[in-house]
Amino acid sequence: MALDFAKGITEFRWHGRGGQGVVTSNQMLGKAALAEGRYIQAFPEFGPERTGAPVRAFLRISKDPIQIYAQVYHPDIVVCIDPTLLDVVNPTEGLKEDGVLVLNTTMSPQEVRDKFDFRTGKVVTVDASKIAMDILGRPFYNMPTMAAAVKATGIVKLETVIQTVLDRYPGKIGELNKAAMERASEEAQVG
Amino acid sequence: MTTVERIPAEKMKIEGLTGDAAIAHALKQADVDVLAAYPITPQTIIVEDFEKFYANGEVKTKVIPVESEHSAMSACVGASATGARVATATASAGLALMWEILYCAASMRMPIVLTVANRALSAPINIHNDWSDSYGARDSGFIQLYCQNSQEAYDTTLMAFKLAEDHRVLLPVMVCIDGFILSHNVERVEMLPDDAVKKFLGVREPVQPLDPKNPITMGPLALTDYYFEFKEQQDRAIHAAPEVFKEVEEAFKKMTGRSYGMVEDYKTEDAEIIILTHSTPAGTAKVVADTLREQGEKVGVLRLKMFRPFPVKEVVEKVKHAKAVIVFEKCLSFGATCNPLALELRAALYNLDERPMVTDFVIGLGGRDVPPTTIVEGYNKTKEYLAKGEAPLYETLGVRK
Amino acid sequence: MNEKFNEIPMAGNIIKPGNALEYKTGGWRAERPVHNDETCLWIKNGTCGLCWIFCPDDAIRLIEKDGKYSYEYDYDYCKGCGICANQCPTSSIKMESE
């Protein structure tokens, strides 16, 4: 990483499985940043999409127009919404030293640090699976995990991203997601 | 030209839109009379979104869900012949299937707007981005405009109608965006109010429409005695496009403050090495230029927006002082001297007494990511070739070899 | 046919409908149809009319006036193709050299 091609840009990488809404939550966070007056790029890594297959999505946020068009290789923040993926992919790959790792897991931040030998930056954990099952009754981990990422990074206000979700899903689904996000924001552990 | 006025910021609508969605919104606001299209990845969102507008009663367009792209373009030609404002969208194999009718659309002087989400051609099947599809159609007689971001995709789609329908031009326009990299990338897009677009574009005024009250014959037979004269007409029409494009952009700029030019000049003035490319790699190249300049390198970027007609004068003017021009292009022209963009550049430079060295790098085929490091690699290689005084006609970059 | 590119309609459009009338194809004719009234069914009883149906140039006119049947050829457009002679069921039309 001799040259920095993403100056002034906050870069996210998301991990999830096809069908878990990783593309949607990536877009929701991007649109929240847009609502707060910033420029964004929110795009998935496309492949032959199959439910359950590991998928990635990328987000760039900047106060200036973004010119770079490439995948994110050195993210500032990595968000993984599926705990079972942690044995399949290495979420810290390419993550900046002072980066933020946000995981849906029952592990504590310290356990995560030990598992991935990630000693710098910030680790945020939240049991989004339990929150989703408790509140939504279905395994939609994406929004609560996103709420934890928002809390840890302060990239946007939680209210903004909740409003973006409510706009996208008016009615009951939106309200339940709002409740899940609020709870995830409270329960997220930073360490 | 229509008189337009600056639209105040509070009247603009800002939304996060993918490149495809931005195009769909532009087509909606352009008040297209007929849209005949067949969905194909990665253009799908354009047609899906437009069909949604149609189903919700937001457009009065006649939407024709045809059975193939050949039929899509045929229906467009028929509709355009009646004087309607017509658009369609396609990519890759879909564009290939339109081939025969692309030439009819251009030769019959139908101002159709064809939006393309650039995608590789088979085989093997690949749904991702490169420019083989629309580069292949570069001699079809279509005007070709390439966009870097979603905002530009929206703006260009609107301007395309005004360019196509101008009586000095009367030619179809291809508006191209990079498949997935832009077509599925959510960006900030500022949209004009409907009435401003309506005022800007007006209603199409056909020159010789099909009309039962005044019957004419279109696309008849012309053999050795007349065919050549019609091609002469067509050739002159496409060369009228730059002048009209400038006027259209000027009017659009008055309204929005935005314009792009046939080429976008980025720090080329004092540059010793200039990168020539378009679409999304041009954005990345600009970032690379900024970064390399911090290291003391004198590098600039010329982003081509209009590939057909090729803006020879503008390109030559901007690059002639450089030591080298690096072409990055997402297309292999199998068996050619070099590849389409470099061919154009080299031919354009030929008449200069002192020409910059031209290097040609084929990148990103089949959607292979083009990170800044690939651009840097091409830059470093070009510096080596400059030192040596010779360069290969072209080479591939970013492939395992 | 000496018009320059800018003296002809755009894109090959034919902007004057029915202008085929201006092109008299009768000049192509090497053989002309000759009718035998004795055996022609149209003359006899106003039936048949196959020559009129098949003529590609609308160059045969079958006429009925005051209960009498007659015909005429329009030699401005009859190009002597011989389709009428070929179709005639009573061989009442023969092609003869001009």
Side-chain angles (χ1 to χ4, degrees), chain A residues 132-160:
Chain A
M133 292 312 287
D134 284 354
I135 296 178
L136 292 144
R138 296 172 71 183
F140 293 149
Y141 324 137
N142 57 342
M143 300 305 183
T145 314
M146 170 167 66
V150 168
K151 180 189 183 182
T153 59
I155 188 83
V156 291
K157 295 195 193 88
L158 187 64
E159 302 95 85
T160 316

PDB file of all heavy atoms in Angstrom, chain A residues 132-160:
ATOM      1  N   ALA A 132     -32.460 -10.516  15.419  1.00  0.00           N
ATOM      2  CA  ALA A 132     -33.346 -10.675  14.264  1.00  0.00           C
ATOM      3  C   ALA A 132     -34.423 -11.706  14.551  1.00  0.00           C
ATOM      4  O   ALA A 132     -35.602 -11.499  14.258  1.00  0.00           O
ATOM      5  CB  ALA A 132     -32.524 -11.081  13.038  1.00  0.00           C
ATOM      6  N   MET A 133     -34.019 -12.827  15.159  1.00  0.00           N
ATOM      7  CA  MET A 133     -35.000 -13.879  15.444  1.00  0.00           C
ATOM      8  C   MET A 133     -35.994 -13.405  16.504  1.00  0.00           C
ATOM      9  O   MET A 133     -37.191 -13.678  16.400  1.00  0.00           O
ATOM     10  CB  MET A 133     -34.304 -15.174  15.893  1.00  0.00           C
ATOM     11  CG  MET A 133     -33.494 -15.857  14.789  1.00  0.00           C
ATOM     12  SD  MET A 133     -34.339 -16.041  13.207  1.00  0.00           S
ATOM     13  CE  MET A 133     -35.518 -17.344  13.595  1.00  0.00           C
ATOM     14  N   ASP A 134     -35.489 -12.680  17.535  1.00  0.00           N
ATOM     15  CA  ASP A 134     -36.378 -12.183  18.594  1.00  0.00           C
ATOM     16  C   ASP A 134     -37.408 -11.202  18.035  1.00  0.00           C
ATOM     17  O   ASP A 134     -38.591 -11.277  18.354  1.00  0.00           O
ATOM     18  CB  ASP A 134     -35.565 -11.446  19.683  1.00  0.00           C
ATOM     19  CG  ASP A 134     -34.832 -12.433  20.596  1.00  0.00           C
ATOM     20  OD1 ASP A 134     -35.057 -13.654  20.428  1.00  0.00           O
ATOM     21  OD2 ASP A 134     -34.046 -11.974  21.445  1.00  0.00           O
ATOM     22  N   ILE A 135     -36.945 -10.275  17.226  1.00  0.00           N
ATOM     23  CA  ILE A 135     -37.825  -9.171  16.818  1.00  0.00           C
ATOM     24  C   ILE A 135     -38.516  -9.443  15.488  1.00  0.00           C
ATOM     25  O   ILE A 135     -39.717  -9.247  15.354  1.00  0.00           O
ATOM     26  CB  ILE A 135     -37.028  -7.844  16.758  1.00  0.00           C
ATOM     27  CG1 ILE A 135     -36.543  -7.490  18.174  1.00  0.00           C
ATOM     28  CG2 ILE A 135     -37.893  -6.713  16.176  1.00  0.00           C
ATOM     29  CD1 ILE A 135     -35.711  -6.244  18.270  1.00  0.00           C
ATOM     30  N   LEU A 136     -37.748  -9.904  14.507  1.00  0.00           N
ATOM     31  CA  LEU A 136     -38.325 -10.102  13.178  1.00  0.00           C
ATOM     32  C   LEU A 136     -38.856 -11.521  12.993  1.00  0.00           C
ATOM     33  O   LEU A 136     -39.670 -11.774  12.106  1.00  0.00           O
ATOM     34  CB  LEU A 136     -37.276  -9.807  12.100  1.00  0.00           C
ATOM     35  CG  LEU A 136     -36.847  -8.342  11.981  1.00  0.00           C
ATOM     36  CD1 LEU A 136     -35.376  -8.236  11.647  1.00  0.00           C
ATOM     37  CD2 LEU A 136     -37.665  -7.626  10.924  1.00  0.00           C
ATOM     38  N   GLY A 137     -38.355 -12.427  13.817  1.00  0.00           N
ATOM     39  CA  GLY A 137     -38.786 -13.818  13.710  1.00  0.00           C
ATOM     40  C   GLY A 137     -38.223 -14.514  12.481  1.00  0.00           C
ATOM     41  O   GLY A 137     -38.594 -15.629  12.165  1.00  0.00           O
ATOM     42  N   ARG A 138     -37.361 -13.841  11.782  1.00  0.00           N
ATOM     43  CA  ARG A 138     -36.751 -14.428  10.577  1.00  0.00           C
ATOM     44  C   ARG A 138     -35.277 -14.011  10.535  1.00  0.00           C
ATOM     45  O   ARG A 138     -34.897 -13.000  11.107  1.00  0.00           O
ATOM     46  CB  ARG A 138     -37.474 -13.937   9.322  1.00  0.00           C
ATOM     47  CG  ARG A 138     -38.922 -14.415   9.300  1.00  0.00           C
ATOM     48  CD  ARG A 138     -39.702 -13.792   8.172  1.00  0.00           C
ATOM     49  NE  ARG A 138     -39.298 -14.306   6.869  1.00  0.00           N
ATOM     50  CZ  ARG A 138     -39.802 -13.868   5.716  1.00  0.00           C
ATOM     51  NH1 ARG A 138     -40.690 -12.891   5.721  1.00  0.00           N
ATOM     52  NH2 ARG A 138     -39.415 -14.388   4.580  1.00  0.00           N
ATOM     53  N   PRO A 139     -34.451 -14.789   9.838  1.00  0.00           N
ATOM     54  CA  PRO A 139     -33.004 -14.533   9.908  1.00  0.00           C
ATOM     55  C   PRO A 139     -32.538 -13.357   9.046  1.00  0.00           C
ATOM     56  O   PRO A 139     -31.721 -13.531   8.155  1.00  0.00           O
ATOM     57  CB  PRO A 139     -32.397 -15.848   9.426  1.00  0.00           C
ATOM     58  CG  PRO A 139     -33.420 -16.411   8.502  1.00  0.00           C
ATOM     59  CD  PRO A 139     -34.758 -15.957   9.009  1.00  0.00           C
ATOM     60  N   PHE A 140     -33.087 -12.187   9.300  1.00  0.00           N
ATOM     61  CA  PHE A 140     -32.632 -10.991   8.584  1.00  0.00           C
ATOM     62  C   PHE A 140     -31.639 -10.234   9.459  1.00  0.00           C
ATOM     63  O   PHE A 140     -32.001  -9.353  10.224  1.00  0.00           O
ATOM     64  CB  PHE A 140     -33.823 -10.098   8.214  1.00  0.00           C
ATOM     65  CG  PHE A 140     -34.749 -10.717   7.209  1.00  0.00           C
ATOM     66  CD1 PHE A 140     -36.105 -10.432   7.212  1.00  0.00           C
ATOM     67  CD2 PHE A 140     -34.253 -11.599   6.245  1.00  0.00           C
ATOM     68  CE1 PHE A 140     -36.954 -11.017   6.275  1.00  0.00           C
ATOM     69  CE2 PHE A 140     -35.100 -12.179   5.307  1.00  0.00           C
ATOM     70  CZ  PHE A 140     -36.450 -11.894   5.329  1.00  0.00           C
ATOM     71  N   TYR A 141     -30.367 -10.642   9.304  1.00  0.00           N
ATOM     72  CA  TYR A 141     -29.337 -10.078  10.200  1.00  0.00           C
ATOM     73  C   TYR A 141     -28.784  -8.760   9.687  1.00  0.00           C
ATOM     74  O   TYR A 141     -28.016  -8.101  10.373  1.00  0.00           O
ATOM     75  CB  TYR A 141     -28.126 -11.018  10.325  1.00  0.00           C
ATOM     76  CG  TYR A 141     -28.434 -12.501  10.327  1.00  0.00           C
ATOM     77  CD1 TYR A 141     -27.656 -13.384   9.591  1.00  0.00           C
ATOM     78  CD2 TYR A 141     -29.472 -13.005  11.109  1.00  0.00           C
ATOM     79  CE1 TYR A 141     -27.917 -14.746   9.600  1.00  0.00           C
ATOM     80  CE2 TYR A 141     -29.734 -14.372  11.114  1.00  0.00           C
ATOM     81  CZ  TYR A 141     -28.960 -15.232  10.352  1.00  0.00           C
ATOM     82  OH  TYR A 141     -29.212 -16.551  10.365  1.00  0.00           O
ATOM     83  N   ASN A 142     -29.110  -8.431   8.442  1.00  0.00           N
ATOM     84  CA  ASN A 142     -28.369  -7.338   7.807  1.00  0.00           C
ATOM     85  C   ASN A 142     -28.565  -5.992   8.494  1.00  0.00           C
ATOM     86  O   ASN A 142     -27.596  -5.283   8.777  1.00  0.00           O
ATOM     87  CB  ASN A 142     -28.706  -7.255   6.308  1.00  0.00           C
ATOM     88  CG  ASN A 142     -30.190  -7.082   6.034  1.00  0.00           C
ATOM     89  OD1 ASN A 142     -31.028  -7.352   6.901  1.00  0.00           O
ATOM     90  ND2 ASN A 142     -30.515  -6.647   4.832  1.00  0.00           N
ATOM     91  N   MET A 143     -29.824  -5.627   8.771  1.00  0.00           N
ATOM     92  CA  MET A 143     -30.076  -4.296   9.328  1.00  0.00           C
ATOM     93  C   MET A 143     -29.498  -4.145  10.739  1.00  0.00           C
ATOM     94  O   MET A 143     -28.851  -3.137  11.029  1.00  0.00           O
ATOM     95  CB  MET A 143     -31.567  -3.962   9.290  1.00  0.00           C
ATOM     96  CG  MET A 143     -32.167  -3.953   7.894  1.00  0.00           C
ATOM     97  SD  MET A 143     -31.328  -2.864   6.720  1.00  0.00           S
ATOM     98  CE  MET A 143     -32.388  -3.072   5.287  1.00  0.00           C
ATOM     99  N   PRO A 144     -29.724  -5.131  11.647  1.00  0.00           N
ATOM    100  CA  PRO A 144     -29.104  -4.961  12.976  1.00  0.00           C
ATOM    101  C   PRO A 144     -27.568  -4.917  12.919  1.00  0.00           C
ATOM    102  O   PRO A 144     -26.953  -4.140  13.659  1.00  0.00           O
ATOM    103  CB  PRO A 144     -29.604  -6.169  13.778  1.00  0.00           C
ATOM    104  CG  PRO A 144     -30.369  -7.027  12.864  1.00  0.00           C
ATOM    105  CD  PRO A 144     -30.668  -6.266  11.626  1.00  0.00           C
ATOM    106  N   THR A 145     -26.950  -5.711  12.035  1.00  0.00           N
ATOM    107  CA  THR A 145     -25.487  -5.651  11.953  1.00  0.00           C
ATOM    108  C   THR A 145     -25.045  -4.275  11.454  1.00  0.00           C
ATOM    109  O   THR A 145     -24.070  -3.700  11.926  1.00  0.00           O
ATOM    110  CB  THR A 145     -24.925  -6.752  11.021  1.00  0.00           C
ATOM    111  OG1 THR A 145     -25.569  -7.977  11.332  1.00  0.00           O
ATOM    112  CG2 THR A 145     -23.428  -6.916  11.188  1.00  0.00           C
ATOM    113  N   MET A 146     -25.819  -3.742  10.502  1.00  0.00           N
ATOM    114  CA  MET A 146     -25.508  -2.407   9.993  1.00  0.00           C
ATOM    115  C   MET A 146     -25.592  -1.377  11.115  1.00  0.00           C
ATOM    116  O   MET A 146     -24.754  -0.469  11.207  1.00  0.00           O
ATOM    117  CB  MET A 146     -26.478  -2.026   8.867  1.00  0.00           C
ATOM    118  CG  MET A 146     -26.371  -0.562   8.458  1.00  0.00           C
ATOM    119  SD  MET A 146     -27.202  -0.198   6.930  1.00  0.00           S
ATOM    120  CE  MET A 146     -28.891  -0.491   7.364  1.00  0.00           C
ATOM    121  N   ALA A 147     -26.600  -1.533  11.993  1.00  0.00           N
ATOM    122  CA  ALA A 147     -26.754  -0.583  13.098  1.00  0.00           C
ATOM    123  C   ALA A 147     -25.514  -0.585  13.993  1.00  0.00           C
ATOM    124  O   ALA A 147     -25.055   0.465  14.451  1.00  0.00           O
ATOM    125  CB  ALA A 147     -28.000  -0.922  13.905  1.00  0.00           C
ATOM    126  N   ALA A 148     -24.963  -1.776  14.207  1.00  0.00           N
ATOM    127  CA  ALA A 148     -23.742  -1.866  15.010  1.00  0.00           C
ATOM    128  C   ALA A 148     -22.588  -1.146  14.318  1.00  0.00           C
ATOM    129  O   ALA A 148     -21.781  -0.456  14.959  1.00  0.00           O
ATOM    130  CB  ALA A 148     -23.387  -3.335  15.258  1.00  0.00           C
ATOM    131  N   ALA A 149     -22.525  -1.287  12.986  1.00  0.00           N
ATOM    132  CA  ALA A 149     -21.464  -0.611  12.218  1.00  0.00           C
ATOM    133  C   ALA A 149     -21.618   0.895  12.304  1.00  0.00           C
ATOM    134  O   ALA A 149     -20.630   1.630  12.432  1.00  0.00           O
ATOM    135  CB  ALA A 149     -21.507  -1.068  10.750  1.00  0.00           C
ATOM    136  N   VAL A 150     -22.862   1.347  12.263  1.00  0.00           N
ATOM    137  CA  VAL A 150     -23.124   2.786  12.342  1.00  0.00           C
ATOM    138  C   VAL A 150     -22.698   3.307  13.708  1.00  0.00           C
ATOM    139  O   VAL A 150     -22.064   4.355  13.835  1.00  0.00           O
ATOM    140  CB  VAL A 150     -24.619   3.080  12.073  1.00  0.00           C
ATOM    141  CG1 VAL A 150     -24.972   4.509  12.442  1.00  0.00           C
ATOM    142  CG2 VAL A 150     -24.943   2.813  10.602  1.00  0.00           C
ATOM    143  N   LYS A 151     -23.044   2.532  14.753  1.00  0.00           N
ATOM    144  CA  LYS A 151     -22.677   2.956  16.103  1.00  0.00           C
ATOM    145  C   LYS A 151     -21.153   3.056  16.244  1.00  0.00           C
ATOM    146  O   LYS A 151     -20.627   4.031  16.791  1.00  0.00           O
ATOM    147  CB  LYS A 151     -23.219   1.956  17.121  1.00  0.00           C
ATOM    148  CG  LYS A 151     -22.881   2.348  18.551  1.00  0.00           C
ATOM    149  CD  LYS A 151     -23.233   1.250  19.523  1.00  0.00           C
ATOM    150  CE  LYS A 151     -22.939   1.702  20.954  1.00  0.00           C
ATOM    151  NZ  LYS A 151     -23.231   0.622  21.910  1.00  0.00           N
ATOM    152  N   ALA A 152     -20.473   2.042  15.725  1.00  0.00           N
ATOM    153  CA  ALA A 152     -19.026   1.977  15.927  1.00  0.00           C
ATOM    154  C   ALA A 152     -18.272   3.043  15.134  1.00  0.00           C
ATOM    155  O   ALA A 152     -17.232   3.517  15.566  1.00  0.00           O
ATOM    156  CB  ALA A 152     -18.519   0.593  15.527  1.00  0.00           C
ATOM    157  N   THR A 153     -18.805   3.401  13.973  1.00  0.00           N
ATOM    158  CA  THR A 153     -18.053   4.314  13.107  1.00  0.00           C
ATOM    159  C   THR A 153     -18.561   5.744  13.169  1.00  0.00           C
ATOM    160  O   THR A 153     -17.820   6.673  12.848  1.00  0.00           O
ATOM    161  CB  THR A 153     -18.159   3.863  11.628  1.00  0.00           C
ATOM    162  OG1 THR A 153     -19.550   3.844  11.275  1.00  0.00           O
ATOM    163  CG2 THR A 153     -17.570   2.486  11.432  1.00  0.00           C
ATOM    164  N   GLY A 154     -19.821   5.912  13.527  1.00  0.00           N
ATOM    165  CA  GLY A 154     -20.418   7.246  13.511  1.00  0.00           C
ATOM    166  C   GLY A 154     -20.426   7.854  12.124  1.00  0.00           C
ATOM    167  O   GLY A 154     -20.504   9.067  11.960  1.00  0.00           O
ATOM    168  N   ILE A 155     -20.386   6.992  11.111  1.00  0.00           N
ATOM    169  CA  ILE A 155     -20.306   7.473   9.718  1.00  0.00           C
ATOM    170  C   ILE A 155     -21.553   8.258   9.335  1.00  0.00           C
ATOM    171  O   ILE A 155     -21.492   9.219   8.579  1.00  0.00           O
ATOM    172  CB  ILE A 155     -20.034   6.295   8.748  1.00  0.00           C
ATOM    173  CG1 ILE A 155     -19.758   6.795   7.338  1.00  0.00           C
ATOM    174  CG2 ILE A 155     -21.166   5.286   8.711  1.00  0.00           C
ATOM    175  CD1 ILE A 155     -18.337   7.211   7.116  1.00  0.00           C
ATOM    176  N   VAL A 156     -22.699   7.809   9.852  1.00  0.00           N
ATOM    177  CA  VAL A 156     -23.951   8.577   9.712  1.00  0.00           C
ATOM    178  C   VAL A 156     -24.671   8.500  11.059  1.00  0.00           C
ATOM    179  O   VAL A 156     -24.312   7.696  11.923  1.00  0.00           O
ATOM    180  CB  VAL A 156     -24.898   8.013   8.620  1.00  0.00           C
ATOM    181  CG1 VAL A 156     -24.324   8.207   7.230  1.00  0.00           C
ATOM    182  CG2 VAL A 156     -25.224   6.553   8.887  1.00  0.00           C
ATOM    183  N   LYS A 157     -25.695   9.317  11.201  1.00  0.00           N
ATOM    184  CA  LYS A 157     -26.511   9.225  12.415  1.00  0.00           C
ATOM    185  C   LYS A 157     -27.412   7.998  12.314  1.00  0.00           C
ATOM    186  O   LYS A 157     -27.920   7.671  11.238  1.00  0.00           O
ATOM    187  CB  LYS A 157     -27.390  10.476  12.557  1.00  0.00           C
ATOM    188  CG  LYS A 157     -26.614  11.760  12.783  1.00  0.00           C
ATOM    189  CD  LYS A 157     -27.588  12.846  13.273  1.00  0.00           C
ATOM    190  CE  LYS A 157     -26.956  14.209  13.204  1.00  0.00           C
ATOM    191  NZ  LYS A 157     -27.161  14.836  11.855  1.00  0.00           N
ATOM    192  N   LEU A 158     -27.636   7.344  13.449  1.00  0.00           N
ATOM    193  CA  LEU A 158     -28.504   6.164  13.447  1.00  0.00           C
ATOM    194  C   LEU A 158     -29.906   6.541  12.943  1.00  0.00           C
ATOM    195  O   LEU A 158     -30.536   5.782  12.197  1.00  0.00           O
ATOM    196  CB  LEU A 158     -28.579   5.551  14.856  1.00  0.00           C
ATOM    197  CG  LEU A 158     -29.320   4.212  14.942  1.00  0.00           C
ATOM    198  CD1 LEU A 158     -28.606   3.123  14.154  1.00  0.00           C
ATOM    199  CD2 LEU A 158     -29.500   3.771  16.397  1.00  0.00           C
ATOM    200  N   GLU A 159     -30.381   7.731  13.348  1.00  0.00           N
ATOM    201  CA  GLU A 159     -31.730   8.155  12.913  1.00  0.00           C
ATOM    202  C   GLU A 159     -31.808   8.223  11.380  1.00  0.00           C
ATOM    203  O   GLU A 159     -32.817   7.863  10.789  1.00  0.00           O
ATOM    204  CB  GLU A 159     -32.092   9.559  13.434  1.00  0.00           C
ATOM    205  CG  GLU A 159     -32.052   9.734  14.930  1.00  0.00           C
ATOM    206  CD  GLU A 159     -30.702  10.302  15.369  1.00  0.00           C
ATOM    207  OE1 GLU A 159     -30.512  11.526  15.351  1.00  0.00           O
ATOM    208  OE2 GLU A 159     -29.835   9.470  15.726  1.00  0.00           O
ATOM    209  N   THR A 160     -30.737   8.697  10.758  1.00  0.00           N
ATOM    210  CA  THR A 160     -30.764   8.849   9.299  1.00  0.00           C
ATOM    211  C   THR A 160     -30.913   7.499   8.622  1.00  0.00           C
ATOM    212  O   THR A 160     -31.719   7.331   7.712  1.00  0.00           O
ATOM    213  CB  THR A 160     -29.466   9.513   8.793  1.00  0.00           C
ATOM    214  OG1 THR A 160     -29.153  10.600   9.643  1.00  0.00           O
ATOM    215  CG2 THR A 160     -29.626  10.001   7.366  1.00  0.00           C
TER     216      THR A 160
END
